[in-house]
Amino acid sequence: MKTAIFPGSFNPFTKGHYDIVSRALTIFDKVVIGIGYNPDKPKPEDLQQRIELISAIYNNNERVEVEAYNDLTIDFAKRHDATAIVKGVRSVQDYEYERTQAEYNRLMSNGIETVILFADPQYASLSSSIVRTLKKFGKDVSDLLP
């Protein structure tokens, strides 16, 4: 069984994230969505709430698991015997950041590869931070969320 992890803060989980998971499931037998803590991101909403919201999206799909973690992504991947880390990229800046992360993750794991899936053009400008900002100012963000 080929397992991939899809790590992120998912604050919130957008249609862009959903699209990446859907596409990863065409490549891997199982995808574990890992909700990690990133100290460079704004203070996260309630972690348990994010787990429940994302789990509800996939409640009928036994090929998707949702779990929080607070250590290195590569250690999370190893715990799940993952063969790959799936990352979605929207821009050149995303790509450069993910390329660097991929190099170190592969070195620290003796071979876990990073699979980069480019954002579908309709989601290329969609980010969790934009959704949070719109929501903060009372805008309806339901069209941006699965």
Side-chain angles (χ1 to χ4, degrees), residues 5-98:
I5 64 159
F6 180 42
S9 57
F10 306 115
N11 188 14
F13 190 81
T14 68
K15 284 186 175 179
H17 297 129
Y18 182 84
D19 181 62
I20 295 296
V21 172
S22 297
R23 291 164 52 204
L25 287 169
T26 67
I27 302 168
F28 300 97
D29 300 312
K30 179 178 172 182
V31 174
V32 180
I33 299 170
I35 305 172
Y37 172 72
N38 182 341
D40 297 329
K41 299 254 180 166
K43 184 177 179 182
E45 292 177 10
D46 179 58
L47 183 60
Q48 188 58 40
Q49 181 183 17
R50 276 186 280 155
I51 292 170
E52 290 170 8
L53 287 170
I54 298 169
S55 294
I57 294 167
Y58 296 102
N59 67 351
N60 292 322
N61 190 336
E62 59 192 38
R63 295 176 59 208
V64 178
E65 291 180 13
V66 182
E67 184 180 322
Y69 70 101
N70 62 3
D71 54 346
L72 291 174
T73 297
I74 198 62
D75 294 331
F76 180 71
K78 288 176 184 177
R79 279 197 305 281
H80 286 280
D81 294 321
T83 56
I85 299 168
V86 171
K87 299 298 291 204
V89 298
R90 299 167 295 172
S91 65
V92 172
Q93 292 85 0
D94 283 356
Y95 174 80
E96 287 300 325
Y97 175 80
E98 297 302 346

